[in-house]
Amino acid sequence: MDEANNNMYGEIEEIIDDIEKRFNQINKFSILDYPPYDHHFLKYDRNSKNIGLESTFRQRIEKEWLLLENKLPSSILVKSYEKRIDLMRTVMVGPLNTPYAHGLFIFDILFPRNYPNCPPRVHYHSYDLDLNEFLDPKGKVTLSLLEGGSFVTNWYCGVQGKWNPEKSNLLQVLTAIQTSILSTTRVNPSGREGYKKAFTLTCKGMIHMLRGPPMNFRDFVEGYFRTRAHSILLNYKKQMDDSDLMVNLFHELYRAFEQNGTYCKHHRLVDLPAEEKIKQLRVC
């Protein structure tokens, strides 16, 4: 840490505890025995014949596993399940330079019985937040160019934008969600107000996720926010205005990160009038 950072943050030593050690050992792709009981598609009536060792369905899923293991970007993590190969759960990081930056987004995935003739089904864990028109509070994943607007069917597979059983795969689905839906262009309404709404809802999602980390990703969520808290708070200060909503949300974020084990007192606002707090934020 250089002298300038010492002056800004003080002599801060973050202790590398068990949470951070587990976080540093997490793989982008892993196969567990069983899915979590809160998986959205857990009760889906799967066809047990499909999961046999010699089934064409299993062979296709194993190809998906291999592709994900070798090609997943570092900003997407996937869990698959040996006893339910038709299910997956994934978490992805919001891209930088968007209102979703530093946020985490959880999706449950189901491979239907006739996969890959039909595309996978995807459910978004929204925490009841209306993030944007393509990720609604009920968990539906859509895109405006879809005429039917049902699931991810016709928008992420090649030039034609249609699911192709011979060429399309889950990796294309995940990267398209991250780069197309979680992007600056996917903000409603457009402009500064739309950006601000998406930004504040992303921050609220962080708080919800820390209060109740999704199963299979608790270590990742806690470790991720332990290491990203300072960057998130600094970015928040750049977006601040003098509204009570944003000031109060800043305090909620601050408390959530401290409860998660990050030293944040150098970000704390003193007891000042709102306009003075904003001035303090601008120089911190």
Side-chain angles (χ1 to χ4, degrees):
M1 181 179 293
D2 58 28
E3 183 177 353
N5 283 334
N6 275 332
N7 292 335
M8 180 180 292
Y9 297 120
E11 297 291 339
I12 302 168
E13 290 189 17
E14 301 280 3
I15 299 175
I16 305 298
D17 61 7
D18 289 340
I19 290 178
E20 291 176 70
K21 289 178 181 177
R22 292 195 297 270
F23 173 73
N24 292 330
Q25 295 171 356
I26 293 174
N27 295 318
K28 292 183 295 183
F29 177 78
S30 57
I31 302 174
L32 307 179
D33 286 336
Y34 295 95
Y37 66 81
D38 63 344
H39 194 288
H40 182 76
F41 298 109
L42 184 65
K43 295 182 180 180
Y44 177 79
D45 185 21
R46 72 188 190 280
N47 186 345
S48 60
K49 294 180 181 179
N50 274 3
I51 64 176
L53 293 177
E54 303 301 324
S55 71
T56 56
F57 178 81
R58 184 181 184 94
Q59 291 173 7
R60 175 57 190 255
I61 296 301
E62 288 180 346
K63 288 183 178 179
E64 299 279 358
W65 288 355
L66 185 62
L67 182 63
L68 293 170
E69 185 175 17
N70 292 325
K71 298 295 185 179
L72 269 176
S74 59
S75 55
I76 300 177
L77 275 69
V78 173
K79 302 290 185 185
S80 190
Y81 308 100
E82 181 61 43
K83 304 300 183 182
R84 286 294 304 270
I85 64 171
D86 58 330
L87 302 182
M88 289 186 186
R89 172 166 284 183
T90 183
V91 58
M92 61 183 64
V93 180
L96 295 177
N97 302 314
T98 74
Y100 314 105
H102 303 298
L104 294 181
F105 304 89
I106 305 290
F107 299 87
D108 285 345
I109 298 156
L110 167 71
F111 297 97
R113 297 175 183 178
N114 55 351
Y115 184 80
N117 292 326
C118 286
R121 294 172 61 183
V122 180
H123 174 83
Y124 167 56
H125 285 260
S126 70
Y127 296 97
D128 295 321
L129 298 173
D130 190 7
L131 190 66
N132 67 35
E133 62 182 302
F134 311 104
L135 297 173
D136 77 9
K138 294 182 180 179
K140 187 177 179 181
V141 180
T142 61
L143 195 70
S144 59
L145 58 84
L146 282 177
E147 292 184 4
S150 59
F151 300 111
V152 283
T153 307
N154 297 317
W155 55 277
Y156 49 78
C157 304
V159 177
Q160 293 79 20
K162 294 183 179 180
W163 177 262
N164 184 326
E166 301 298 324
K167 298 180 180 180
S168 304
N169 55 65
L170 181 65
L171 180 62
Q172 293 172 334
V173 177
L174 300 182
T175 54
I177 291 174
Q178 187 182 51
T179 59
S180 296
I181 290 182
L182 297 174
S183 71
T184 302
T185 59
R186 303 308 182 191
V187 174
N188 186 35
S190 60
R192 175 61 185 169
E193 286 305 311
Y195 190 102
K196 178 180 173 182
K197 175 189 174 185
F199 173 77
T200 55
L201 290 176
T202 297
C203 292
K204 288 181 179 180
M206 298 177 191
I207 296 169
H208 284 293
M209 199 168 290
L210 278 169
R211 289 173 178 169
M215 298 183 69
N216 294 161
F217 286 115
R218 173 179 290 273
D219 287 345
F220 178 77
V221 169
E222 293 177 347
Y224 174 85
F225 286 119
R226 182 75 66 87
T227 61
R228 299 294 194 278
H230 297 308
S231 297
I232 293 170
L233 291 175
L234 287 172
N235 184 50
Y236 193 100
K237 291 175 180 180
K238 294 178 182 178
Q239 306 295 332
M240 282 286 292
D241 58 30
D242 58 356
S243 67
D244 289 341
L245 171 64
M246 294 206 76
V247 172
N248 292 337
L249 183 56
F250 177 87
H251 285 296
E252 286 189 69
L253 269 178
Y254 166 88
R255 287 192 293 268
F257 291 150
E258 285 236 313
Q259 290 170 3
N260 190 50
T262 303
Y263 182 92
C264 295
K265 285 187 170 55
H266 50 293
H267 290 288
R268 183 164 55 93
L269 301 181
V270 297
D271 188 15
L272 295 171
E275 61 272 15
E276 293 299 323
K277 288 182 178 181
I278 299 304
K279 291 180 181 178
Q280 179 189 357
L281 284 170
R282 298 304 187 199
V283 299
C284 287

